[in-house]
Amino acid sequence: MIRPRTGDFFYSNEELDVMLEDIRLFKSIGVAGVVFGVLNPDGTVDVPRTRIPVRAALPMQVCFHRAFDMTSSAIEAFDQICTIQGVTRILTSGQSVSAPAGLPVLRELLQRMQRTGGPTILPGAGINPGTICHVLDHLLPYGLKEIHLSGGRWVDGGMVHRPDGMGMGTSAEGQWGVWQTDSNAIREVRRIADDSASSAGVSAIDIR
C-alpha cells in the first residue's frame, strides 16, 4: 500500500512525492502491484494527481483502494477512474461499513464494469466464512471476478506488564493484542468460493 500517512486522502505535493518515491522503490524490487488513492477535498477523485503515481507504477498493476469508499458518489468516482489509463482494479466495500452491507452499490458497480470494460471491482471488508455465501449469492450473477479479505483476527499478546491508560494508538482490542492471519478462515472462504463458482458455472473467483 502506498500511503504516506494516516488520515484522509487529500495529499499535499510533498506527500505525493513520498508516494512516488515508494512506488519507484517497489518497482525496482519487482513488486507485482501497488494500491493507493488520491481525492479532492470535495470527495471526488483527483484525476490529474492520480495519473501521476499510476504512470510511475506502470507496468505494475494498480489498485485504487478504499479511498473510493470516501468519495461523494461511487458511480461518479468509477467513471472518473475509468479515464485513468492503467488502473487495474478498485477495492471497495460499496461505500458501506462492509461489503455484505454494501451489496446494492457493489452490484451497480459490477454492472457498470461489465458495460464499460472498466477496472475490475474488488469487493472487500467484512468478508469471512460467515458472510462469503451471502456475498457470492448476490454478486456472482453480475460478473464478480475477485474478492478481498485479510483473514485476520486479534489474538492476545504475550505482554504481562500492561500499564493502565497507556496505548499505541490502536483500538482497545489491539492495544495488547497481535493481529494474525487465520489460515483456516482463508481456506474455508476459498472452498466456499470454489464450490459457488462451480455451481454457478463461472470461472474460479480470485482471492486477493
Side-chain angles (χ1 to χ4, degrees):
M1 181 187 295
I2 306 300
R3 186 88 157 99
R5 56 164 171 76
T6 58
D8 63 28
F9 302 99
F10 175 54
Y11 297 124
S12 68
N13 290 335
E14 291 76 16
E15 289 167 337
L16 192 63
D17 286 341
V18 172
M19 294 171 68
L20 291 171
E21 182 62 27
D22 288 346
I23 288 170
R24 285 190 285 267
L25 173 61
F26 286 130
K27 192 174 183 178
S28 71
I29 60 175
V31 170
V34 290
V35 299
F36 53 81
V38 185
L39 302 183
N40 290 310
D42 64 356
T44 58
V45 175
D46 189 336
V47 173
R49 296 175 82 240
T50 300
R51 283 198 177 106
I52 296 170
V54 170
R55 287 169 179 163
L58 293 175
M60 291 191 292
Q61 295 189 44
V62 174
C63 175
F64 196 100
H65 64 32
R66 288 191 64 204
F68 184 88
D69 291 326
M70 303 301 160
T71 60
S72 53
S73 166
I75 298 305
E76 180 183 355
F78 179 84
D79 290 344
Q80 289 176 315
I81 294 170
C82 283
T83 70
I84 306 171
Q85 186 175 2
V87 177
T88 314
R89 57 182 51 83
I90 298 170
L91 173 62
T92 174
S93 62
Q95 295 199 324
S96 191
V97 294
S98 68
L103 291 173
V105 173
L106 288 168
R107 184 167 57 243
E108 189 173 1
L109 288 168
L110 285 166
Q111 290 174 308
R112 205 166 188 86
M113 176 193 80
Q114 290 188 305
R115 289 196 302 268
T116 64
T120 298
I121 296 300
L122 175 61
I127 295 179
N128 55 56
T131 62
I132 183 62
C133 286
H134 184 61
V135 171
L136 294 175
D137 286 347
H138 282 78
L139 299 183
L140 272 179
Y142 297 94
L144 178 69
K145 300 176 182 179
E146 305 175 345
I147 55 173
H148 169 77
L149 71 154
S150 68
R153 60 189 177 92
W154 288 108
V155 299
D156 192 45
M159 286 296 296
V160 176
H161 176 63
R162 302 183 179 190
D164 290 338
M166 298 294 289
M168 296 292 105
T170 63
S171 65
E173 189 177 18
Q175 295 295 351
W176 301 107
V178 178
W179 183 258
Q180 290 186 352
T181 299
D182 185 341
S183 60
N184 289 328
I186 293 176
R187 289 190 186 96
E188 181 64 6
V189 169
R190 174 77 276 169
R191 182 191 67 77
I192 294 170
D194 287 345
D195 289 349
S196 296
S198 177
S199 297
V202 299
S203 300
I205 302 298
D206 288 336
I207 296 178
R208 299 188 180 275

